[in-house]
Amino acid sequence: MASSAIVASLAASLSVASTFSSSSLLVFTKLRSATVPGFSSRLSFSFSRRGTTRLMAHATLGLTKPTQIDYPKISFAAKEMDVVEWKGDILAVGVTEKDMAKDENSKFQNSILKMLDAQLGGLLSEASSEEDFTGKPGQSTVLRLPGLGSKRVGLIGLGQSASSPADFRGLGESVAAAAKAAKASNVAVALASTEGLSEQSKLTSASAIASGTVLGIHEDSRYKSESKKPVLKSVDIIGFGTGPEIEKKLKYAEDVSSGVILGRELVNSPANVLTPVVLAEEASKIASTYSDVFSATILDAEKCKELKMGSYLGVAAASANPPHFIHLCYKPPGGPAKVKLGLIGKGLTFDSGGYNIKTGPGCSIELMKFDMGGSGAVLGAAKAIGEIKPPGVEVHFIVAACENMISGTGMRPGDILTASNGKTIEVNNTDAEGRLTLADALVYTCNLGVDKIIDLATLTGACVVALGPSIAGVFTPSDELAKEVFAATEASGEKIWRLPLEESYWESMKSGVADMVNTGGRQGGSITAALFLKQFVSDKVQWMHIDMAGPVWSDKKHGATGFGISTLVEWVLKNSS
């Protein structure tokens, strides 16, 4: 590797006191920077022939810049007390359909609901009957009733039972919705019944409620001319226990949620704002913020050329916005790592389809800013890991960031690209570009000597057709790695489904003039895409590919979901322990 100089610091005055050698490798280690979600630092580096560095501002297409929003921090507290004694804006009670059962006098049988109803003179049971509230999932009712310390009482349906993290995260989201509607600054959350919940389940459930509340309150209004700040400041979680263990779990929920919010905001940002260089800057800010455990290496096109990343550079060739290959490295405090992990995120900040341009109904070209959803997940996980600082595990976060555009310099159908492992690829569809960038990212990550790799990508429409908008498809030849990741999803509540790596389908990927083509037929499109990626993974490395094209985006909420971040963090922590 050619020699390179290190940027010593990026001062608050945005001046740089450093020079680079002739190499174009940028290594950011101890950068001081602004808050990540607002993208407030609009800087890039360019080089003169003398090798000195000068700082220049980005020209923003459309004059659009995100507003820096300082979201109020929500404080969480675990308490044990009678719910009728709690004082505040909203007392929210999660109820199952069984909890809503009433006797022959139309009175609640559940002890907590009976106690609340008695304090309210029977108005709670009366109102629930009139509104036909039965505790079904998705149902909620918030009533302003006199007689309690709380201004409002809310009943939130949990269905027949509630036991999974997803159930309790949904409870938290409903609490957030009620708090927004009532402009509440403090709320309490309790369950009508905690039967069937072990002490460990209570800890996990409290954490999920906290996570759901934070994510439910958050609204990405950075690109609106007027934005409303949420007023919720505190949440008391009642009846789930007290002490250091639950406090640790609540802090964990806040840390992971901050990563999910970063991931959402990265994916929500339009391509005229979040270009490859800006994505690289956001990665460098993570390294700056957590400089005790993180370092960042950013490779430009010249350095990628030295590393023979022809597959990645072929995709990037058409864009006026140059590619940036991002490598964040987390090293644990307090000793060497026992395991080395690689997390790779597809980083197409915009995908036009290239010469095979996306056209016609359903092509979703207007949403192709989310084609960097994999990188959003990886960088969101990096932020959370920087907060949590798990011991005993080294993690490499990799993004081959670029755009897939159209110009006279771009790759054409029929071109042959050579990846960094020497394998040749005949491009039979320029809109199958994500796998081309991931190919060189996989080779690079394997060369770091990692033990396990997970890559995440909005890779194929075929996976959305197969599994719908809420479930990601996963592919791996390793049963051991599959067990690890599925265990992580049990805690995160995110939905994945393992699909086969059917080797016989590779026949459709063979080329007459190169080692392979980049797409097979329409049938089994997500499987052949995964088989393509497998060609660039070392046999010594356990590897999983996650196709998250469906769950990356919510049409209902018109925004990014932050999918994958919670699972990645859980997986890293499981390897840490």
CSV table of all heavy atoms in Angstrom, one decimal, residues 456-491:
chain,number,residue,atom,x,y,z
A,456,LEU,N,-25.4,-6.1,3.7
A,456,LEU,CA,-26.8,-5.7,3.6
A,456,LEU,C,-27.0,-4.8,2.4
A,456,LEU,O,-26.2,-3.9,2.1
A,456,LEU,CB,-27.3,-4.9,4.8
A,456,LEU,CG,-27.1,-5.6,6.2
A,456,LEU,CD1,-25.8,-5.2,6.8
A,456,LEU,CD2,-28.3,-5.2,7.1
A,457,ALA,N,-28.1,-5.1,1.6
A,457,ALA,CA,-28.3,-4.4,0.3
A,457,ALA,C,-29.7,-4.4,-0.1
A,457,ALA,O,-30.5,-5.3,0.1
A,457,ALA,CB,-27.4,-5.0,-0.8
A,458,THR,N,-30.2,-3.2,-0.6
A,458,THR,CA,-31.5,-3.2,-1.3
A,458,THR,C,-31.2,-3.7,-2.7
A,458,THR,O,-31.0,-3.0,-3.7
A,458,THR,CB,-31.9,-1.7,-1.4
A,458,THR,OG1,-30.9,-0.9,-1.8
A,458,THR,CG2,-32.4,-1.2,0.0
A,459,LEU,N,-31.1,-5.0,-2.8
A,459,LEU,CA,-30.5,-5.6,-4.0
A,459,LEU,C,-31.4,-6.0,-5.1
A,459,LEU,O,-31.2,-5.7,-6.3
A,459,LEU,CB,-29.6,-6.8,-3.6
A,459,LEU,CG,-28.5,-7.2,-4.6
A,459,LEU,CD1,-27.5,-6.0,-4.6
A,459,LEU,CD2,-27.8,-8.5,-4.2
A,460,THR,N,-32.6,-6.6,-4.8
A,460,THR,CA,-33.4,-7.1,-5.9
A,460,THR,C,-34.9,-6.9,-5.6
A,460,THR,O,-35.4,-7.1,-4.5
A,460,THR,CB,-33.2,-8.6,-6.1
A,460,THR,OG1,-33.7,-9.3,-4.9
A,460,THR,CG2,-31.8,-9.0,-6.3
A,461,GLY,N,-35.6,-6.5,-6.7
A,461,GLY,CA,-37.1,-6.5,-6.6
A,461,GLY,C,-37.6,-7.8,-6.4
A,461,GLY,O,-38.7,-8.0,-5.9
A,462,ALA,N,-36.9,-8.9,-6.9
A,462,ALA,CA,-37.4,-10.2,-6.8
A,462,ALA,C,-37.6,-10.6,-5.3
A,462,ALA,O,-38.5,-11.4,-5.0
A,462,ALA,CB,-36.4,-11.2,-7.4
A,463,CYS,N,-36.8,-10.1,-4.4
A,463,CYS,CA,-36.9,-10.5,-3.0
A,463,CYS,C,-38.2,-9.8,-2.4
A,463,CYS,O,-38.8,-10.4,-1.6
A,463,CYS,CB,-35.7,-10.0,-2.2
A,463,CYS,SG,-35.5,-10.8,-0.6
A,464,VAL,N,-38.5,-8.6,-2.9
A,464,VAL,CA,-39.8,-8.0,-2.5
A,464,VAL,C,-41.0,-8.8,-3.0
A,464,VAL,O,-42.0,-8.9,-2.2
A,464,VAL,CB,-39.8,-6.5,-3.0
A,464,VAL,CG1,-41.1,-5.8,-2.4
A,464,VAL,CG2,-38.6,-5.8,-2.6
A,465,VAL,N,-40.9,-9.3,-4.2
A,465,VAL,CA,-42.0,-10.1,-4.7
A,465,VAL,C,-42.1,-11.3,-3.9
A,465,VAL,O,-43.3,-11.8,-3.6
A,465,VAL,CB,-41.7,-10.4,-6.2
A,465,VAL,CG1,-42.7,-11.4,-6.7
A,465,VAL,CG2,-41.7,-9.2,-7.1
A,466,ALA,N,-41.0,-11.9,-3.5
A,466,ALA,CA,-41.1,-13.2,-2.8
A,466,ALA,C,-41.5,-13.0,-1.3
A,466,ALA,O,-42.3,-13.8,-0.8
A,466,ALA,CB,-39.7,-13.8,-2.8
A,467,LEU,N,-41.1,-12.0,-0.6
A,467,LEU,CA,-41.3,-11.9,0.8
A,467,LEU,C,-42.1,-10.6,1.2
A,467,LEU,O,-42.4,-10.5,2.4
A,467,LEU,CB,-40.0,-11.8,1.5
A,467,LEU,CG,-39.1,-13.1,1.4
A,467,LEU,CD1,-37.8,-12.9,2.1
A,467,LEU,CD2,-39.8,-14.3,1.9
A,468,GLY,N,-42.5,-9.8,0.3
A,468,GLY,CA,-43.3,-8.6,0.6
A,468,GLY,C,-42.4,-7.5,1.2
A,468,GLY,O,-41.2,-7.6,1.3
A,469,PRO,N,-43.1,-6.5,1.7
A,469,PRO,CA,-42.4,-5.2,2.1
A,469,PRO,C,-41.9,-5.3,3.5
A,469,PRO,O,-41.2,-4.3,3.9
A,469,PRO,CB,-43.5,-4.2,2.0
A,469,PRO,CG,-44.8,-4.9,2.3
A,469,PRO,CD,-44.6,-6.3,1.7
A,470,SER,N,-42.1,-6.3,4.3
A,470,SER,CA,-41.8,-6.3,5.7
A,470,SER,C,-40.7,-7.3,6.1
A,470,SER,O,-40.2,-7.3,7.3
A,470,SER,CB,-43.0,-6.6,6.6
A,470,SER,OG,-44.0,-5.6,6.4
A,471,ILE,N,-40.3,-8.2,5.2
A,471,ILE,CA,-39.4,-9.3,5.5
A,471,ILE,C,-38.2,-9.2,4.6
A,471,ILE,O,-38.3,-9.1,3.4
A,471,ILE,CB,-40.1,-10.6,5.4
A,471,ILE,CG1,-41.3,-10.7,6.3
A,471,ILE,CG2,-39.1,-11.8,5.8
A,471,ILE,CD1,-42.2,-11.9,6.0
A,472,ALA,N,-37.0,-9.3,5.2
A,472,ALA,CA,-35.8,-9.3,4.4
A,472,ALA,C,-35.4,-10.8,4.1
A,472,ALA,O,-35.6,-11.7,5.0
A,472,ALA,CB,-34.6,-8.6,5.2
A,473,GLY,N,-34.8,-11.0,3.0
A,473,GLY,CA,-34.3,-12.4,2.6
A,473,GLY,C,-32.8,-12.5,3.0
A,473,GLY,O,-32.1,-11.6,2.8
A,474,VAL,N,-32.5,-13.6,3.6
A,474,VAL,CA,-31.1,-13.8,4.0
A,474,VAL,C,-30.6,-15.1,3.3
A,474,VAL,O,-31.3,-16.1,3.1
A,474,VAL,CB,-30.9,-13.9,5.5
A,474,VAL,CG1,-31.4,-12.7,6.2
A,474,VAL,CG2,-31.6,-15.2,6.1
A,475,PHE,N,-29.3,-15.0,2.9
A,475,PHE,CA,-28.6,-16.1,2.2
A,475,PHE,C,-27.3,-16.4,2.9
A,475,PHE,O,-26.5,-15.4,3.1
A,475,PHE,CB,-28.4,-15.8,0.8
A,475,PHE,CG,-29.6,-15.4,0.0
A,475,PHE,CD1,-30.2,-14.2,0.0
A,475,PHE,CD2,-30.2,-16.4,-0.8
A,475,PHE,CE1,-31.3,-13.8,-0.7
A,475,PHE,CE2,-31.4,-16.1,-1.6
A,475,PHE,CZ,-31.9,-14.8,-1.5
A,476,THR,N,-27.0,-17.6,3.3
A,476,THR,CA,-25.7,-17.9,3.8
A,476,THR,C,-25.5,-19.4,3.7
A,476,THR,O,-26.4,-20.2,3.8
A,476,THR,CB,-25.6,-17.5,5.3
A,476,THR,OG1,-24.3,-17.9,5.8
A,476,THR,CG2,-26.7,-18.2,6.2
A,477,PRO,N,-24.2,-19.8,3.4
A,477,PRO,CA,-23.9,-21.3,3.4
A,477,PRO,C,-23.6,-21.8,4.8
A,477,PRO,O,-23.3,-22.9,5.0
A,477,PRO,CB,-22.6,-21.3,2.5
A,477,PRO,CG,-22.0,-20.0,2.6
A,477,PRO,CD,-23.1,-19.0,2.8
A,478,SER,N,-23.6,-20.9,5.8
A,478,SER,CA,-23.2,-21.2,7.2
A,478,SER,C,-24.4,-21.3,8.1
A,478,SER,O,-25.0,-20.3,8.4
A,478,SER,CB,-22.2,-20.1,7.7
A,478,SER,OG,-22.0,-20.3,9.1
A,479,ASP,N,-24.7,-22.5,8.5
A,479,ASP,CA,-25.8,-22.7,9.5
A,479,ASP,C,-25.5,-22.0,10.8
A,479,ASP,O,-26.4,-21.5,11.5
A,479,ASP,CB,-26.1,-24.2,9.7
A,479,ASP,CG,-26.6,-24.9,8.5
A,479,ASP,OD1,-27.2,-24.2,7.6
A,479,ASP,OD2,-26.5,-26.1,8.4
A,480,GLU,N,-24.2,-22.1,11.2
A,480,GLU,CA,-23.8,-21.4,12.5
A,480,GLU,C,-24.1,-19.9,12.4
A,480,GLU,O,-24.7,-19.4,13.4
A,480,GLU,CB,-22.4,-21.7,12.7
A,480,GLU,CG,-21.8,-21.1,14.0
A,480,GLU,CD,-20.3,-21.2,14.2
A,480,GLU,OE1,-19.7,-22.1,13.4
A,480,GLU,OE2,-19.8,-20.6,15.0
A,481,LEU,N,-23.7,-19.3,11.4
A,481,LEU,CA,-24.0,-17.8,11.2
A,481,LEU,C,-25.5,-17.5,11.2
A,481,LEU,O,-26.0,-16.6,11.8
A,481,LEU,CB,-23.3,-17.3,10.0
A,481,LEU,CG,-23.4,-15.8,9.8
A,481,LEU,CD1,-22.9,-15.0,11.0
A,481,LEU,CD2,-22.6,-15.4,8.5
A,482,ALA,N,-26.2,-18.4,10.5
A,482,ALA,CA,-27.7,-18.2,10.4
A,482,ALA,C,-28.3,-18.3,11.8
A,482,ALA,O,-29.1,-17.4,12.1
A,482,ALA,CB,-28.3,-19.3,9.5
A,483,LYS,N,-27.8,-19.2,12.6
A,483,LYS,CA,-28.4,-19.3,14.0
A,483,LYS,C,-28.1,-18.0,14.8
A,483,LYS,O,-28.9,-17.5,15.6
A,483,LYS,CB,-27.8,-20.5,14.7
A,483,LYS,CG,-28.3,-21.9,14.2
A,483,LYS,CD,-27.7,-23.0,14.9
A,483,LYS,CE,-28.2,-24.4,14.3
A,483,LYS,NZ,-27.5,-25.5,15.0
A,484,GLU,N,-26.9,-17.5,14.6
A,484,GLU,CA,-26.5,-16.3,15.4
A,484,GLU,C,-27.4,-15.1,15.0
A,484,GLU,O,-27.8,-14.4,15.8
A,484,GLU,CB,-25.0,-15.9,15.0
A,484,GLU,CG,-24.0,-16.8,15.6
A,484,GLU,CD,-22.6,-16.4,15.3
A,484,GLU,OE1,-22.4,-15.3,14.7
A,484,GLU,OE2,-21.6,-17.2,15.7
A,485,VAL,N,-27.6,-14.9,13.7
A,485,VAL,CA,-28.4,-13.8,13.2
A,485,VAL,C,-29.8,-13.9,13.6
A,485,VAL,O,-30.5,-13.0,14.0
A,485,VAL,CB,-28.2,-13.6,11.7
A,485,VAL,CG1,-29.0,-12.4,11.2
A,485,VAL,CG2,-26.7,-13.3,11.4
A,486,PHE,N,-30.4,-15.1,13.5
A,486,PHE,CA,-31.8,-15.3,13.8
A,486,PHE,C,-32.0,-15.1,15.3
A,486,PHE,O,-33.0,-14.6,15.8
A,486,PHE,CB,-32.3,-16.7,13.4
A,486,PHE,CG,-32.8,-16.8,12.0
A,486,PHE,CD1,-31.9,-17.1,11.0
A,486,PHE,CD2,-34.1,-16.5,11.7
A,486,PHE,CE1,-32.4,-17.1,9.7
A,486,PHE,CE2,-34.6,-16.5,10.4
A,486,PHE,CZ,-33.7,-16.8,9.4
A,487,ALA,N,-31.0,-15.5,16.1
A,487,ALA,CA,-31.0,-15.2,17.6
A,487,ALA,C,-31.0,-13.7,17.8
A,487,ALA,O,-31.7,-13.2,18.7
A,487,ALA,CB,-29.9,-15.8,18.3
A,488,ALA,N,-30.3,-13.0,17.0
A,488,ALA,CA,-30.2,-11.5,17.1
A,488,ALA,C,-31.6,-10.9,16.8
A,488,ALA,O,-32.0,-9.9,17.4
A,488,ALA,CB,-29.2,-10.9,16.2
A,489,THR,N,-32.3,-11.5,15.8
A,489,THR,CA,-33.6,-10.9,15.4
A,489,THR,C,-34.7,-11.2,16.4
A,489,THR,O,-35.6,-10.5,16.5
A,489,THR,CB,-34.0,-11.5,14.0
A,489,THR,OG1,-34.2,-12.9,14.1
A,489,THR,CG2,-33.1,-11.1,12.9
A,490,GLU,N,-34.5,-12.2,17.2
A,490,GLU,CA,-35.4,-12.5,18.3
A,490,GLU,C,-35.4,-11.3,19.3
A,490,GLU,O,-36.5,-11.0,19.9
A,490,GLU,CB,-35.1,-13.8,19.0
A,490,GLU,CG,-35.4,-15.0,18.2
A,490,GLU,CD,-35.0,-16.3,18.9
A,490,GLU,OE1,-34.7,-16.2,20.1
A,490,GLU,OE2,-35.1,-17.4,18.3
A,491,ALA,N,-34.3,-10.7,19.5
A,491,ALA,CA,-34.2,-9.6,20.4
A,491,ALA,C,-34.6,-8.3,19.7
A,491,ALA,O,-35.1,-7.4,20.3
A,491,ALA,CB,-32.8,-9.5,21.0
